[in-house]
Amino acid sequence: MADQLPLTPRQRDDLRTIAAMIVPASDEYKVPGADDPAIQADMLATLGRDSKLVVAALDHLARLAGQPLAELDAARRDVVAHEFRKHGGAAGDTLVRVVLQCYYRDDRVLGSLGLEPRAPFPKGHVLPDGDWSLLDPVKARGGTLRRAP
């Protein structure tokens, strides 16, 4: 994508670290953390126009940490994350949204929530080509006329 900025290796490491802090793995619910390689690959592949704000958030985290986030001990990482939450602004909000949207579209996570990892319709049933009977209730309603603006 033309709008997507590539992440440096350090930024990818920091993204993986902060993602694990946002959503850690759970043995109890049998779900991966947001640092899972498949979820990380989805994040990197779909950043698109959010990449500028994500890069800004990761740069802000790097300035707060003073070194790679993964190299900090857990207590120091928590302090940095708390400071980042207070002053991350739109970039911080975007980073959290990107992590969560990629996490919650992972098939393993959807399955743990009792959701099917595919469209709910047609639930595995094959519809014959040209069978438009599903539209019968819509056709029965008749036309709707609206005044043009």
Side-chain angles (χ1 to χ4, degrees), residues 6-23:
L7 299 182
T8 66
R10 179 177 173 168
Q11 289 170 329
R12 286 193 298 270
D13 288 345
D14 283 351
L15 176 61
R16 188 174 26 262
T17 302
I18 198 68
M21 293 175 72
I22 293 170
V23 186

Side-chain angles (χ1 to χ4, degrees), residues 30-103:
K30 298 178 181 75
V31 290
D35 61 335
D36 180 81
I39 296 170
Q40 287 290 302
D42 184 26
M43 278 183 223
L44 295 174
T46 60
L47 277 176
R49 65 180 180 200
D50 291 328
S51 68
K52 290 178 185 174
L53 285 172
V54 169
V55 166
L58 293 170
D59 288 347
H60 185 185
L61 273 168
R63 282 191 305 279
L64 290 172
Q67 67 186 76
L69 211 53
E71 293 177 9
L72 296 176
D73 62 55
R76 178 74 181 125
R77 263 196 313 254
D78 287 342
V79 169
V80 168
H82 181 71
E83 186 65 25
F84 178 71
R85 276 193 300 267
K86 288 191 328 190
H87 303 291
D93 294 344
T94 299
L95 175 63
V96 171
R97 180 181 48 76
V98 164
V99 168
L100 293 177
Q101 82 183 15
C102 291
Y103 181 77

Side-chain angles (χ1 to χ4, degrees), residues 120-123 125-141:
F121 184 80
K123 293 209 182 238
H125 301 289
V126 177
L127 298 176
D129 285 339
D131 180 4
W132 297 100
S133 63
L134 291 172
L135 294 177
D136 289 344
V138 176
K139 291 177 186 175
R141 283 190 281 174

